[in-house]
Amino acid sequence: MADYTVSLLGGEKTITVAGGTMLGEILKELASNKARKQALAVKSGSDLFDLTATVESDLVVEIVSAASPEGLNLIRHSCAHLMAHAVVDLFGTETKVAIGPATDDGFYYDFDREAPFVPDDLERIEARMTELAGKALPFVRTTVTIDEARQLFESRQQGYKLELLDGIEAETVNLYQVGDFVDLCRGPHVPNTGFLKTYKLTRLAGAYWRGDEHRPMLQRIYGTAFGDPKELKDYLHKLEEARKRDHRKLGRELELFTMQDQVGPGLILWQPKGALLRKLIEDRWREEHYRHNYELLYTPHIARRDLWKTSGHLDFYSENMYSPIEIDEVSYQLKPMNCPFHIAIYNTRKRSYREFPIRWCELGTVYRYEKTGALHGLMRVRGFTQDDAHIFCRPDQLEEEIFNIIDLNLQILRLFGFEDYDVYLSTRPEKYVGSDEHWVQATEALKMALEKKGLAYEVDPGEGVFYGPKIDIKIKDVLGRSWQCSTIQVDFNLPERFEISYTGDDGQAHQPIMIHRALMGSLERFIGVLIEHYAGAFPVWLAPVQARVMNITDAQLDYVEEVYRELRRQGVRVEKDIRNEKLNYKIREAQVQKVPYMLIIGDQEVASGQVTVRLRDGKNLPPMSVVDFAELVGSQDPEAKD
């Protein structure tokens, strides 16, 4: 067998070894004892190898430790196998195993089992994982033929593995064995289970096999793992915070919105407080757009199906659209987008270059089909309202318009408390329409606007929409989680498809450029993010209820009514609590409802004509007049501060 040279990246030493020598053995010559103990695998270029992998060519290698992203991924993937081993040990070989990958924040494994797992099972599984990890069981890789793998999984009655084998065209596959558990896997893995010390099983969920709702529903167990116990502790703390902030839980407790099976999945019913919150957001949105020279539009919820043929949505987006509606022997379609309607308005008369740019905005409700398993509270719904806008401009105006949109976008995000975000420039996808020239022009305009604004961004190759490239802004909430909201898209395609034009300064017809943009994305998702960002304790200016007036005894009822009426007259969003309950009970309920101010009225307040103000965090302000309190509330508005 031939000899090969192997060196450590950044090291001075190069050794020659016989082909077939294991990489773990080679590290004894190249790395320090401390580095070898931390080695989970080795990396050469972009390729990862188990320590038991053998040398088959000249290599420059790098040690992969738990502190690296690759090492963390190895730990999590190996934990998925360890968990599957524990599950089969505890619940028997009749439990069918499906797939178990690492994820961005942990790992999961899908199982097919007649009896459902329950939360208490997670503790049992985790305890068994700890027993197996303590045995330092090696992860053993073998390469076998497809037929050999098939025979093995047939003997173990693991049908999901057999189906996976059906989709593999290679002649051989890798199997990994840890203890008695054997899995079909490309690898690599950590050397043995002794490297798996810091993990936690977090939750149960359902998942269709291969994401197909027509296939079996499997039981998914989620977990997470880290190389450092402190990182696990921090993650679990953040997870607990996320549970407390879950917008579905808070939306129910604060009576903001509801969803009912009788109405349909993914369709939101806004309750009075949620409707008021939404109105506050919509009003501010309209005010800001008016200041930035936008004009407001309203468009229907359905249109002739031919409209969507012309726009190209039936060719590129039909799987997300609802079935047609037959009216008077004509097919209509619930709208998935607002843009064709805005083009129809554009076409109502001839346009001149002097009118440009034309900026139209609409809070337009659209309907898109999402699989039931993908629905998630306000974050993923079937009917939602986009804060949509379309700008029609000349080519010489494109870059400046994009810059102005970015400016307004960041202003809106800051208004609602989002200062941290990631920016992505998404380029041409594999399936697209339009000329290469237009794609290059549009992409460059987006790029130049970002650079002019001084924003750092990442290129997201192939993630543009079918008609043009786009900028995506993913906001980060108080827990550091990213949410896709804002998007800016340049489109040469729809103006061409609908044959819209304007008269230029040369008297000739020219095709305008169309910019699609949404700053908040959908109101539903944005409100869901707001709820979780603030844990339901909205800033005073945004709170659906800003104050609650409460009496101590019935002797103050008349003054409570007087205060309540005056505050409403002053524009304060106020409730009153005059129930025959103890004051501490009323205060506690107001705090649970996240009401910013509690106005407590006893005999002393009646006599002085003032109110005692208690904050939702338990602190008290000095007594003040009703007018002074109304001014205090008004001063909390960001515009008042400006």
Side-chain angles (χ1 to χ4, degrees):
M1 188 171 286
D3 291 340
Y4 300 103
T5 61
V6 183
S7 61
L8 197 62
L9 183 68
E12 298 179 356
K13 189 176 182 181
T14 298
I15 62 173
T16 301
V17 299
T21 305
M22 286 194 299
L23 290 167
E25 292 296 317
I26 295 171
L27 290 184
K28 293 179 181 179
E29 298 288 330
L30 293 175
S32 67
N33 187 50
K34 179 181 179 181
R36 289 201 314 275
K37 286 182 178 179
Q38 294 176 343
L40 303 179
V42 296
K43 180 180 178 182
S44 180
S46 60
D47 297 323
L48 291 176
F49 300 96
D50 297 300
L51 295 184
T52 56
T54 57
V55 175
E56 307 297 340
S57 64
D58 294 337
L59 292 174
V60 177
V61 299
E62 181 181 357
I63 289 176
V64 175
S65 70
S68 68
E70 296 92 345
L72 182 58
N73 192 70
L74 286 178
I75 288 172
R76 290 172 170 175
H77 191 184
S78 299
C79 276
H81 283 232
L82 178 64
M83 178 177 71
H85 185 358
V87 167
V88 174
D89 273 4
L90 290 171
F91 300 100
T93 55
E94 63 271 18
T95 300
K96 309 305 176 188
V97 293
I99 57 172
T103 65
D104 289 342
D105 57 1
F107 60 89
Y108 69 80
Y109 215 110
D110 290 341
F111 302 95
D112 191 348
R113 178 171 173 260
E114 186 173 344
F117 292 114
V118 296
D120 287 347
D121 290 333
L122 298 186
E123 293 184 13
R124 293 179 59 202
I125 297 166
E126 200 173 295
R128 181 58 178 150
M129 289 172 68
T130 301
E131 291 175 18
L132 295 170
K135 296 180 179 180
L137 301 171
F139 282 85
V140 180
R141 176 176 54 86
T142 56
T143 301
V144 300
T145 66
I146 290 287
D147 287 341
E148 288 171 331
R150 186 176 297 282
Q151 290 172 15
L152 172 69
F153 290 117
E154 282 178 347
S155 69
R156 296 187 174 217
Q157 298 182 323
Q158 293 293 343
Y160 294 103
K161 300 299 179 184
L162 294 173
E163 185 175 330
L164 291 173
L165 285 169
D166 289 339
I168 297 176
E169 296 181 358
E171 295 181 359
T172 61
V173 293
N174 285 342
L175 302 179
Y176 276 84
Q177 181 164 353
V178 55
D180 297 327
F181 179 72
V182 182
D183 208 351
L184 175 67
C185 182
R186 285 192 296 267
H189 284 279
V190 300
N192 63 66
T193 58
F195 286 83
L196 308 177
K197 299 176 181 178
T198 308
Y199 51 82
K200 181 71 177 176
L201 302 187
T202 54
R203 63 188 176 97
L204 298 166
Y208 290 110
W209 171 234
R210 294 192 155 180
D212 185 345
E213 60 187 291
H214 302 294
R215 306 296 299 277
M217 171 65 80
L218 306 178
Q219 299 184 65
R220 177 170 293 178
I221 300 177
Y222 282 97
T224 192
F226 291 89
D228 182 346
K230 183 180 182 301
E231 290 179 345
L232 176 62
K233 182 179 178 181
D234 291 344
Y235 175 81
L236 294 177
H237 172 72
K238 186 181 288 187
L239 207 61
E240 182 58 30
E241 276 297 306
R243 288 195 185 100
K244 292 177 183 177
R245 294 168 179 268
D246 190 321
H247 74 281
R248 295 167 297 180
K249 169 179 172 289
L250 290 173
R252 181 175 62 254
E253 292 174 357
L254 302 181
E255 298 181 339
L256 299 175
F257 67 92
T258 184
M259 292 169 286
Q260 302 290 334
D261 287 340
Q262 186 179 23
V263 175
L267 302 174
I268 307 302
L269 301 173
W270 293 97
Q271 295 173 265
K273 291 177 183 176
L276 183 51
L277 171 63
R278 178 168 167 162
K279 178 186 181 297
L280 293 168
I281 295 170
E282 291 181 359
D283 287 350
R284 191 59 58 95
W285 183 89
R286 291 187 179 96
E287 290 165 7
E288 291 298 331
H289 280 75
Y290 182 78
R291 289 175 186 155
H292 286 78
N293 298 315
Y294 283 78
E295 295 176 296
L296 190 65
L297 303 180
Y298 287 97
T299 60
H301 291 241
I302 64 172
R304 289 177 181 267
R305 192 168 169 83
D306 287 346
L307 183 72
W308 310 106
K309 290 179 183 177
T310 303
S311 70
H313 286 95
L314 286 178
D315 294 327
F316 293 90
Y317 206 73
S318 58
E319 69 275 9
N320 296 103
M321 297 170 66
Y322 279 95
S323 300
I325 304 166
E326 298 296 324
I327 304 173
D328 297 332
E329 299 182 355
V330 176
S331 289
Y332 284 78
Q333 186 80 47
L334 277 171
K335 66 174 178 179
M337 307 280 185
N338 299 302
C339 30
F341 294 94
H342 292 198
I343 290 176
I345 294 173
Y346 181 97
N347 270 337
T348 54
R349 63 176 174 81
K350 288 184 177 181
R351 305 285 173 176
S352 165
Y353 74 97
R354 295 178 183 275
E355 297 179 61
F356 285 9
I358 296 172
R359 304 184 186 105
W360 287 337
C361 63
E362 176 183 14
L363 291 167
T365 301
V366 298
Y367 303 89
R368 300 178 187 174
Y369 173 70
E370 296 280 357
K371 292 182 178 179
T372 303
L375 298 175
H376 179 72
L378 294 176
M379 306 303 193
R380 187 65 70 89
V381 295
R382 288 177 173 170
F384 59 92
T385 301
Q386 284 185 310
D387 71 313
D388 216 349
H390 295 96
I391 293 89
F392 299 91
C393 65
R394 304 189 308 263
D396 61 292
Q397 298 171 320
L398 179 58
E399 185 183 321
E400 183 178 0
E401 283 305 302
I402 295 169
F403 182 86
N404 292 338
I405 293 169
I406 294 172
D407 228 15
L408 176 59
N409 203 152
L410 300 185
Q411 178 186 328
I412 291 285
L413 294 181
R414 284 193 296 268
L415 174 67
F416 290 101
F418 297 107
E419 299 280 352
D420 197 8
Y421 41 79
D422 292 320
V423 182
Y424 297 87
L425 175 59
S426 300
T427 58
R428 185 175 62 199
E430 185 176 335
K431 192 176 182 182
Y432 68 95
V433 295
S435 70
D436 292 348
E437 178 186 354
H438 282 161
W439 274 88
V440 170
Q441 182 182 353
T443 305
E444 283 301 308
L446 292 171
K447 180 181 176 182
M448 292 302 294
L450 287 171
E451 293 176 354
K452 183 178 178 182
K453 186 64 183 170
L455 290 175
Y457 65 91
E458 291 183 35
V459 176
D460 202 358
E463 291 302 312
V465 287
F466 70 88
Y467 50 75
K470 62 175 179 170
I471 292 171
D472 286 328
I473 300 177
K474 296 183 180 181
I475 60 176
K476 290 186 177 181
D477 65 15
V478 71
L479 297 182
R481 298 171 300 177
S482 291
W483 302 96
Q484 171 63 57
C485 290
S486 311
T487 188
I488 305 167
Q489 305 167 0
V490 178
D491 183 5
F492 290 89
N493 174 60
L494 283 184
E496 187 175 307
R497 281 177 173 265
F498 283 93
E499 299 180 348
I500 67 174
S501 64
Y502 67 92
T503 302
D505 58 1
D506 58 0
Q508 301 300 309
H510 298 269
Q511 182 179 295
I513 299 171
M514 185 176 185
I515 305 173
H516 309 247
R517 51 113 283 209
L519 308 184
M520 295 183 288
S522 79
L523 289 183
E524 283 72 12
R525 177 182 292 179
F526 192 75
I527 291 173
V529 175
L530 277 175
I531 293 170
E532 299 202 3
H533 184 62
Y534 290 111
F538 300 109
V540 175
W541 74 272
L542 195 55
V545 178
Q546 296 172 316
R548 184 176 289 181
V549 189
M550 53 190 72
N551 60 318
I552 297 176
T553 69
D554 286 351
Q556 300 96 39
L557 287 178
D558 289 343
Y559 187 57
V560 166
E561 290 291 344
E562 181 183 330
V563 170
Y564 173 76
R565 287 194 301 271
E566 177 60 21
L567 287 175
R568 286 187 71 99
R569 194 183 70 80
Q570 296 275 353
V572 177
R573 298 186 292 278
V574 61
E575 293 179 335
K576 56 186 174 183
D577 186 348
I578 56 175
R579 293 173 298 167
N580 186 24
E581 299 284 356
K582 292 182 178 179
L583 179 63
N584 285 342
Y585 179 82
K586 294 181 181 181
I587 290 172
R588 174 60 184 156
E589 278 214 339
Q591 288 175 320
V592 169
Q593 287 292 308
K594 318 283 187 182
V595 178
Y597 297 113
M598 285 143 272
L599 306 186
I600 300 168
I601 295 177
D603 290 339
Q604 185 175 339
E605 286 74 23
V606 173
S608 65
Q610 294 182 313
V611 292
T612 293
V613 182
R614 183 182 179 93
L615 307 182
R616 59 186 164 200
D617 64 4
K619 297 177 183 177
N620 290 312
L621 299 180
M624 63 184 72
S625 70
V626 175
V627 172
D628 286 345
F629 175 72
E631 289 179 356
L632 171 65
V633 172
S635 71
Q636 304 303 305
D637 192 303
E639 290 190 350
K641 293 178 181 179
D642 291 342

